[in-house]
C-alpha cells in the first residue's frame, strides 16, 4: 500500500493522476476539460459577491441605523441561511422557465462569445455568490463602523475630506484587509457550493464529475478532484496573502 | 459603595435568560421548540402516511385532504415535510456529535500539553481546513458509501478541526488563570484539572460554535441529500424533497418552495441563536 501511494505521488509529479476506473480516460484530461466551467461559475460568483457585498456593506456602514442599514442586515442574515442550490432553482424557474429571458441549463465556453458565456452563468453564479456577498456585507459594514470612529477619519473630515474622496482614500484601504481575509476563507465554500449549483444549472463541470465519481466509486477521479480543489484553495489564499502586502505597505517587509 | 451583586449584569447570572430576552432569539427559540415538537409528534400530527402512494393524485394541488399538495408519487407533502423535520434535527446532531467527539479531547490535549503535541495536531487541523469542505465530504462518502449516517459522519469529520481550534484556543487562555495554576500546585491530576477546572470554563465558546455548526450541518445535509448521497428514498429530508422537486420542475414548479422555506427558517434559527449566544457571552467576559 505504501508502494502504491509512493507510485501515485511519483506519477503526480509527472502530471499523471491515473486513469478513471469508469471511463478509462486520464484523470488529468477529464479535470482539464471540466475545470473551465466550474472556475467560470466560481470566478463570476466572487465578482458578484464583491460588488454586491462590499457595496451594500459600505452603504450600510456609512448610513448606520438608517433603513438602508436595516435592510442590508436583514438581507445578509437571510442570504447566509439560504442554500445556494435552492436560490439557483428559484432564479432559474423565474428567469429561465417562467420567462424565457435566459437559458435554463448548459454552459457555453468563452470562445463562443461573451454573451453566450455570461447568459449561461449569470443565474447560477448569482445564486452561488449570494451567501458570500452576505458574509462580505456584514464584515464590510463592521469594518466601516470601526474605521469611522478612528481619529484619522475625524482629522480627514476636519481637513474637508468628504464623500467619495473620504471613502476611496481613507475607508476602503483600511476596510479591505478583513474583507480580503473573508474572501480567502470563502474560496473553499464556493467550490463546494458549485458542486450542487452545477447540478441545478445542468452544467458539466468539476462538481458533476465528482458526484458521478462518488456514485461509481471511481477513486482515482475523486483523488484528482480533491487534490485539484485543494490546490485552487491554496492558490487563492496565496493571492490573499500577496494582497495584504499590496493593500497595506506595512506588512511588505515581513 | 454598592453591593457587588448589583453590579453584575443579568447576562452574567443567567446567560440563557439574557439570550431569550432579545425578541429575535425568543422567536428563534420558539421555532426550535416547534420544530423539535413536530419532529417528535410527526406520527401523531401528520395527516397521512408519508410513504403512502396515491398515483391518481400525482402533483395534486393544495386541497383540504392534502394541505400542501402531493408529490410525484401522490404522497402527501405536508406529512413528508413533518417527517423530514426529524432528519433536520437528528442529522446535524450526528455531525456536531462526531465533531465534538474528535475536536474536544484533541483540543483539550493540545491546549494543555502544548509543545510537540500541539504543533503536530495544529498542522493537521490546518491541512484539513485548507481542503474545500464539501469536496472532502464527497471523498469520505465515496469511501463509506452513500447514506444519511455516513454523509453526516463525513460532515462531522470535516467540522472537527473547527471544534479543535475553538477548544484549543479557549483551553490555552483558561490554562493561564490562577485557579488552574493553584489546582496544579495542590496536586490535582491532569485529568481532574481538565474535567473540573478547564472544561466548565470553555463550555461557552464551545456552545456558540456548536449552535452555528448545527445550521451549517443542516445545509450540508440538504446539499448531499439533494445530489442523492444523503438520505435514501423513500425516506424524505428537505434536501431530498428539493431534489425530487428539481427533477419534476416542469410538472410541479411550486414544489421547490415548501422544503426550501423550512430549510431557510431552520438554518436562520440556529444562526440567530448562535449569534445571540456569542454576543451575550462576549459581553459577559468583557464585564
Amino acid at each position: 500500500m505504501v508502494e502504491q501511494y509512493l507510485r501515485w505521488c511519483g506519477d503526480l509529479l509527472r502530471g499523471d493522476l491515473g486513469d478513471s476506473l469508469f471511463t478509462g480516460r486520464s484523470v488529468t484530461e477529464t479535470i482539464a476539460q471540466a475545470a473551465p466551467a466550474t472556475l467560470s461559475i466560481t470566478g463570476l460568483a466572487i465578482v458578484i459577491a464583491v460588488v454586491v457585498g462590499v457595496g451594500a456593506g459600505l452603504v450600510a456602514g456609512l448610513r448606520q441605523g438608517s433603513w438602508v442599514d436595516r435592510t442590508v442586515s436583514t438581507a445578509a442574515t437571510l442570504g447566509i441561511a439560504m442554500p445556494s442550490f435552492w436560490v439557483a432553482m428559484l432564479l432559474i424557474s423565474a428567469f429561465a422557465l417562467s420567462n424565457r429571458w435566459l437559458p435554463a441549463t448548459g454552459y457555453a465556453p468563452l470562445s463562443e462569445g461573451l454573451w453566450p458565456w455570461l447568459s449561461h452563468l449569470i443565474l447560477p453564479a448569482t445564486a452561488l455568490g449570494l451567501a458570500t456577498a452576505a458574509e462580505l456585507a456584514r464584515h464590510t459594514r463592521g469594518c466601516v463602523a470601526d474605521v469611522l470612529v478612528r481619529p484619522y477619519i475625524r482629522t480627514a473630515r476636519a481637513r474637508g475630506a468628504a464623500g467619495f474622496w473620504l471613502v476611496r482614500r481613507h475607508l476602503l484601504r483600511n476596510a479591505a484587509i478583513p474583507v480580503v481575509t473573508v474572501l480567502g476563507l470563502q474560496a473553499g465554500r464556493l467550490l463546494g457550493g458549485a458542486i450542487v449549483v452545477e447540478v441545478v444549472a445542468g452544467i458539466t463541470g468539476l462538481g458533476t464529475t465528482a458526484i458521478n465519481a462518488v456514485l461509481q466509486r471511481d477513486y482515482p477521479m475523486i483523488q484528482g478532484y480533491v487534490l485539484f480543489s485543494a490546490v485552487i484553495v491554496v492558490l487563492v489564499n496565496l493571492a490573499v496573502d500577496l494582497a495584504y502586502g499590496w493593500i497595506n505597505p506595512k506588512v511588505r517587509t515581513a | 459603595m454598592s453591593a457587588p451583586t448589583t453590579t453584575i449584569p443579568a447576562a452574567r447570572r443567567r446567560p440563557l435568560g439574557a439570550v431569550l430576552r432579545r425578541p429575535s432569539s425568543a422567536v428563534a427559540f420558539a421555532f426550535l421548540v416547534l420544530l423539535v415538537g413536530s419532529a417528535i409528534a410527526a406520527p401523531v400530527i401528520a395527516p397521512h402516511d408519508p410513504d403512502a402512494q396515491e398515483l391518481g393524485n400525482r402533483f395534486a394541488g393544495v386541497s383540504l385532504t392534502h394541505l400542501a399538495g402531493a408529490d410525484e408519487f401522490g404522497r402527501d407533502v405536508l406529512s413528508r415535510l413533518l417527517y423530514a423535520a426529524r432528519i433536520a434535527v437528528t442529522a446535524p446532531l450526528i455531525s456536531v456529535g462526531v465533531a465534538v467527539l474528535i475536536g474536544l479531547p484533541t483540543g483539550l490535549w493540545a491546549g494543555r500539553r502544548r509543545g510537540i503535541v500541539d504543533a503536530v495536531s495544529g498542522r493537521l487541523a490546518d491541512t484539513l481546513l485548507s481542503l474545500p469542505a464539501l469536496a472532502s465530504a464527497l471523498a469520505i462518502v465515496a469511501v463509506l458509501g452513500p447514506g444519511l449516517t455516513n454523509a453526516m459522519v463525513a460532515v462531522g469529520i470535516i467540522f472537527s478541526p473547527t471544534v479543535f481550534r475553538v477548544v484549543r484556543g479557549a483551553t490555552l487562555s483558561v490554562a493561564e488563570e490562577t485557579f488552574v495554576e493553584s489546582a496544579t500546585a495542590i496536586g490535582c491530576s491532569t485529568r481532574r484539572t481538565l474535567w473540573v477546572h478547564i472544561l466548565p470554563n470553555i463550555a461557552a465558546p464551545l456552545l456558540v460554535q456548536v449552535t452555528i455548526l448545527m445550521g451549517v450541518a443542516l445545509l450540508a445535509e440538504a446539499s448531499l441529500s439533494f445530489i442523492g448521497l444523503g438520505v435514501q428514498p423513500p425516506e424524505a429530508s428537505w434536501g431530498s424533497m428539493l431534489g425530487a422537486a428539481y427533477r419534476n420542475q416542469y410538472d410541479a414548479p411550486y414544489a421547490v418552495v415548501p422544503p426550501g422555506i423550512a430549510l431557510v427558517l431552520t438554518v436562520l434559527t440556529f444562526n440567530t441563536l448562535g449569534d445571540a449566544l456569542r454576543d451575550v457571552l462576549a459581553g459577559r467576559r468583557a464585564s
Side-chain angles (χ1 to χ4, degrees), chain A residues 13-240:
Chain A
L13 290 176
R14 270 174 263 127
D16 178 9
L17 288 165
D19 294 332
S20 159
L21 296 179
F22 200 74
T23 59
R25 285 171 55 217
S26 129
V27 169
T28 320
E29 197 182 300
T30 313
I31 288 180
Q33 258 172 22
T38 304
L39 295 181
S40 300
I41 301 185
T42 32
L44 194 60
I46 290 179
V47 171
I48 293 173
V50 168
V51 171
V52 175
V54 173
L58 206 57
V59 174
L62 288 171
R63 304 253 181 284
Q64 282 167 57
S66 70
W67 64 269
V68 186
D69 186 17
R70 284 195 298 273
T71 315
V72 169
S73 306
T74 315
T77 314
L78 265 177
I80 290 172
M82 287 201 281
S84 51
F85 64 92
W86 186 58
V87 180
M89 283 163 82
L90 294 182
L91 285 178
I92 287 173
S93 133
F95 294 104
L97 298 178
S98 304
N99 305 295
R100 301 192 173 269
W101 292 333
L102 291 165
T105 59
Y107 169 71
L110 197 51
S111 55
E112 285 178 25
L114 186 63
W115 176 243
W117 178 77
L118 197 63
S119 65
H120 281 92
L121 289 181
I122 188 91
L123 295 179
T126 307
L128 185 58
L130 194 68
T132 306
E135 202 81 56
L136 284 177
R138 275 186 160 189
H139 281 269
T140 310
R141 186 200 174 279
C143 290
V144 170
D146 281 348
V147 172
L148 273 183
V149 296
R150 302 265 178 86
Y152 59 79
I153 292 288
R154 208 190 320 152
T155 316
R157 277 201 168 136
R159 275 203 335 229
F164 182 73
W165 175 256
L166 184 78
V167 168
R168 212 196 91 73
R169 172 102 195 148
H170 298 283
L171 263 179
L172 274 184
R173 197 167 269 254
N174 289 296
I177 296 244
V179 166
V180 171
T181 310
V182 172
L183 213 52
L185 293 174
Q186 291 277 323
R189 177 179 172 169
L190 283 171
L191 271 181
I195 299 174
V196 198
V197 169
E198 276 173 22
V199 173
V200 173
I203 292 172
T204 317
L206 284 177
T208 37
T209 310
I211 294 170
N212 287 334
V214 171
L215 291 173
Q216 295 156 353
R217 301 215 162 194
D218 189 347
Y219 294 115
M221 197 63 237
I222 299 166
Q223 279 176 333
Y225 167 71
V226 173
L227 187 74
F228 182 78
S229 320
V231 167
I232 296 285
V233 171
V234 169
L235 285 180
V236 168
N237 281 292
L238 179 69
V240 165

Side-chain angles (χ1 to χ4, degrees), chain B residues 136-205:
Chain B
S136 351
L138 279 186
I140 300 174
V141 171
V143 176
L144 299 175
L148 182 67
T149 314
N150 289 348
M152 295 328 281
V153 167
V155 172
I157 295 174
I158 305 300
F159 283 172
S160 58
T162 312
V163 174
F164 166 83
R165 277 195 171 177
V166 169
V167 171
R168 178 189 167 273
T171 308
L172 274 178
S173 69
V174 174
E176 295 294 316
E177 302 275 348
T178 358
F179 62 84
V180 175
E181 215 174 299
S182 48
T184 318
I186 60 170
C188 280
S189 64
T190 308
R191 184 193 291 185
R192 190 180 155 80
T193 316
L194 283 176
W195 198 248
V196 178
H197 299 286
I198 293 183
L199 198 58
N201 287 293
I202 63 164

Side-chain angles (χ1 to χ4, degrees), chain B residues 29 41 47 61 68 71 74 81 94 139 167-168 175 190 194 198 201 203 214 216 219 221 227-228 243 250 277 281:
Chain B
F29 189 75
D71 70 0
L81 280 175
I94 299 177
V167 171
R168 178 189 167 273
T190 308
L194 283 176
I198 293 183
N201 287 293
M214 287 288 287
V216 185
L219 284 180
E221 183 277 324
I227 54 183
Y250 290 96
L277 271 174
L281 295 169

